[in-house]
Amino acid sequence: MSTLAHTMMTAARSADSGLAGPGELDRYPYTEAPAGERAVSRPWGGSDSELGRASRRGAASRGRGLHGQLVQQLGQMIVSGDLGADRPLVPEEIGQRFEVSRTVVRESLRVLEAKGLVSARPNVGTRVRPVSDWNLLDPDIIEWRAFGPQRDDQRRELAELRWTIEPLAARLAAGHGRDDIQQRLGDMVEIMGHAMGQGDAITFSRADAEFHSLLIQAAGNRMLEHLSGIVSAALHVSGGPVTGCDRPGESSLAHHARITDALASGDAAAAESAMRQLLVVHPDVERVVPAPREH
């Protein structure tokens, strides 16, 4: 086993570090909702309130840190529809329910605003934005949708998006001859093969995600490269916690190897075809995209 494979397998077994802590919080331009509006807003207290239920659901995720937990919980509530569009979000109420400081609340709302889930305006305060304003390509939103009520639509949409992006990326990558990236792609196939032999689904999944990210980088198209995070998120959610390219198996591994061989030989058509065959292995893609015709 190569040094890279050993390093990656060791890293895969280590615990995730969670989200980063708060940044420069005082620069967040939050303006509280007017007093009259706060008085008439639907309270979040009580045993049946949405935020109360979310705070109890979040009790098991303390490893994320307070800021990460709050972003996760509020994001899930908004995406799931528990907090509907135009709902006012009052920091004091959030802080009391989750037992966090105003600083943590402010930074969490800033993160959600960057994702398009909420908006903060003077004399209005922070409110939930409609779905049409969300950044649906944000990896967190992809994950929240994929594990919420919209899971079927999200996974289908991701499969359709991958079917559009990745065969094109494979075709373009074959014409660029990036030896360094091609070597890394070969390393990822080696790691996946070793992980499959060891029954290590976590390492297989991470090498799989790295393979697809590298392939998009190799395409030499900066706009496509910006979509690599979407593909990584799709791999994480589309096949469950194991891998987005079906469960580790000989078929999946063989398709990855064929892509690598086609890139090494500069055969753009073969690289594109091999990628389409790999994607069809995934059942979500097969439901929405017909298998490629053999000529």
Side-chain angles (χ1 to χ4, degrees):
M1 179 174 57
S2 68
T3 301
L4 176 60
H6 180 270
T7 300
M8 191 164 184
M9 292 183 75
T10 300
R13 297 187 184 101
S14 65
D16 291 334
S17 59
L19 299 177
E24 295 177 272
L25 307 180
D26 291 338
R27 295 196 296 177
Y28 176 63
Y30 176 79
T31 304
E32 293 186 16
E37 199 166 284
R38 289 201 303 272
V40 299
S41 65
R42 184 157 51 99
W44 291 12
S47 58
D48 293 327
S49 71
E50 296 99 330
L51 192 55
R53 291 197 300 272
S55 65
R56 291 192 293 274
R57 288 197 303 266
S61 61
R62 295 296 179 188
R64 290 180 175 270
L66 293 177
H67 162 254
Q69 288 176 55
L70 192 55
V71 169
Q72 182 83 358
Q73 292 297 324
L74 291 178
Q76 288 175 338
M77 292 173 67
I78 292 170
V79 169
S80 69
D82 286 343
L83 294 176
D86 208 37
R87 170 69 185 267
L89 303 178
V90 181
E92 289 81 1
E93 295 177 359
I94 298 174
Q96 290 173 7
R97 178 58 58 183
F98 282 93
E99 298 181 351
V100 295
S101 69
R102 180 179 172 83
T103 297
V104 171
V105 174
R106 184 187 297 121
E107 174 63 5
S108 298
L109 292 176
R110 185 192 66 80
V111 172
L112 294 175
E113 184 177 26
K115 296 177 184 297
L117 295 178
V118 305
S119 62
R121 291 180 296 173
N123 302 319
V124 174
T126 299
R127 290 182 175 271
V128 176
R129 298 170 72 174
V131 177
S132 59
D133 292 341
W134 299 355
N135 178 9
L136 295 178
L137 301 183
D138 181 278
D140 283 337
I141 295 179
I142 289 174
E143 180 177 345
W144 295 334
R145 289 187 72 207
F147 293 103
Q150 304 170 44
R151 63 177 66 85
D152 291 340
D153 287 341
Q154 177 66 101
R155 295 183 184 189
R156 175 184 53 80
E157 290 166 2
L158 285 171
E160 292 170 345
L161 189 59
R162 288 187 64 196
W163 182 264
T164 302
I165 294 171
E166 294 194 76
L168 172 61
R171 171 177 283 277
L172 294 175
H176 281 274
R178 290 283 304 273
D179 292 338
D180 56 335
I181 293 184
Q182 288 180 8
Q183 177 61 48
R184 289 279 295 172
L185 288 169
D187 290 340
M188 292 305 108
V189 174
E190 177 188 352
I191 292 169
M192 283 189 281
H194 188 84
M196 185 175 66
Q198 297 292 316
D200 186 350
I202 295 176
T203 298
F204 187 101
S205 179
R206 292 186 178 180
D208 182 18
E210 179 69 8
F211 180 96
H212 290 269
S213 178
L214 285 167
L215 182 66
I216 292 177
Q217 292 177 38
N221 183 306
R222 291 182 179 178
M223 296 188 73
L224 277 179
E225 190 170 341
H226 275 285
L227 300 178
S228 62
I230 301 169
V231 174
S232 295
L235 285 165
H236 176 66
V237 304
S238 59
V242 179
T243 173
C245 287
D246 202 3
R247 285 177 289 185
E250 294 292 344
S251 176
S252 175
L253 188 64
H255 287 312
H256 283 88
R258 289 190 190 104
I259 294 170
T260 304
D261 292 343
L263 295 180
S265 63
D267 190 336
E272 180 179 4
S273 176
M275 177 58 76
R276 291 192 186 279
Q277 291 170 7
L278 171 62
L279 292 179
V280 169
V281 167
H282 193 289
D284 284 346
V285 180
E286 195 170 17
R287 282 199 295 269
V288 297
V289 183
R293 294 179 180 179
E294 296 294 334
H295 298 287

